Amino acid sequence: MAKKVLMVLTNHDKITDETPTGVWLSEFGEAYNEFKQHGYEVTVASPNGGVVPVDPNSVSEDEPQEILDTKPHLEDTAPIADFSAEQFDAVFLPGGHGTMFDFPDNETLQKLLRNFYEADKYVAAVCHGPAGLTGATLSNGEPLVKGKRVSAFTDSEEAETTLDQYMPFLLESKLNELGATVSSGPNWSTHYEVDGYLITGQNPQSTEAVAKELVKQLG
């Protein structure tokens, strides 16, 4: 039986009127390709369905073709309300600054993540993807990340992007406030954490490591 992974991506396309955002393409593409190489069935979804915007800064002139080739999967995604945790073996949240705006307060996403986690199914997220974990609670009302070791885009990395002033909150600080223990490597280095069924990575550079770890855990 092929393993089934649900990938949930942002629909949010602007930080300010002058600053477009969306998903960070390599965080989707590297993970998507890793899963497909292992014969997984991958479903690409988003809070509202439809188009997932790509952050233009994430598509450089030397972007590998195999990453660019994943872009068509973002043109017409399914809404997450169409799915339940029972249908999948894991959920994966790529980042991009868009997730900071439409993931944290999305109740459908919160419920989905709770159901995955409480069914002992893997919840993986990278870079700003863990923004989706900030609003998620367990059935007992506790934050899903409380007492967990996690990794996510750091406050100092955010300061280096100079976009920190426009964010609704700083992700590393928020996760710490919720009772998580955020573990980080140097800025822009590959770093990820595994705590039970939670696999989280620090930044775009950590995407492949998180995807490979998820594949390893799924066996």
Side-chain angles (χ1 to χ4, degrees):
M1 281 279 287
K3 300 287 185 190
K4 296 180 178 172
V5 178
L6 178 65
M7 297 186 78
V8 180
L9 284 71
T10 182
N11 294 119
H12 192 86
D13 64 355
K14 275 190 175 56
I15 295 174
T16 67
D17 287 342
E18 291 78 49
T19 313
T21 189
V23 70
W24 199 261
L25 184 61
S26 65
E27 293 176 33
F28 168 68
E30 286 176 9
Y32 180 89
N33 288 339
E34 183 69 29
F35 301 147
K36 292 304 267 188
Q37 273 166 10
H38 286 85
Y40 289 9
E41 284 179 34
V42 181
T43 299
V44 184
S46 59
N48 304 328
V51 174
V52 166
V54 173
D55 189 316
N57 290 319
S58 72
V59 187
S60 62
E61 278 143 36
D62 53 1
E63 203 61 44
Q65 190 59 42
E66 66 265 21
I67 299 298
L68 296 174
D69 287 347
T70 62
K71 269 180 88 172
H73 300 295
L74 306 178
E75 283 159 20
D76 188 19
T77 63
I80 53 175
D82 288 359
F83 303 109
S84 68
E86 288 85 47
Q87 297 166 272
F88 301 95
D89 298 292
V91 61
F92 187 98
L93 309 178
H97 281 96
T99 59
M100 293 288 288
F101 297 89
D102 65 348
F103 276 16
D105 300 323
N106 188 291
E107 289 176 12
T108 309
L109 180 59
Q110 291 166 2
K111 187 174 160 213
L112 197 59
L113 293 172
R114 175 193 306 144
N115 290 344
F116 268 96
Y117 192 79
E118 293 188 341
D120 289 346
K121 292 183 174 190
Y122 285 96
V123 174
V126 71
C127 194
H128 288 95
L133 301 171
T134 61
T137 54
L138 301 176
S139 295
N140 63 7
E142 296 279 352
L144 191 153
V145 296
K146 186 178 174 182
K148 310 286 191 313
R149 208 174 58 254
V150 299
S151 191
F153 203 62
T154 64
D155 294 357
S156 66
E157 284 170 323
E158 199 66 86
E160 279 192 36
T161 69
T162 69
L163 295 171
D164 50 340
Q165 58 193 321
Y166 303 114
M167 290 298 112
F169 56 86
L170 291 176
L171 185 51
E172 179 186 14
S173 291
K174 172 73 92 177
L175 289 164
N176 278 319
E177 280 165 30
L178 291 167
T181 302
V182 182
S183 169
S184 314
N187 286 6
W188 318 111
S189 65
T190 297
H191 185 87
Y192 71 98
E193 292 292 332
V194 184
D195 192 333
Y197 287 93
L198 200 54
I199 306 172
T200 46
Q202 180 174 329
N203 47 30
Q205 290 75 10
S206 308
T207 305
E208 218 166 298
V210 172
K212 285 181 189 302
E213 183 63 34
L214 179 57
V215 167
K216 185 177 122 187
Q217 298 290 345
L218 288 173

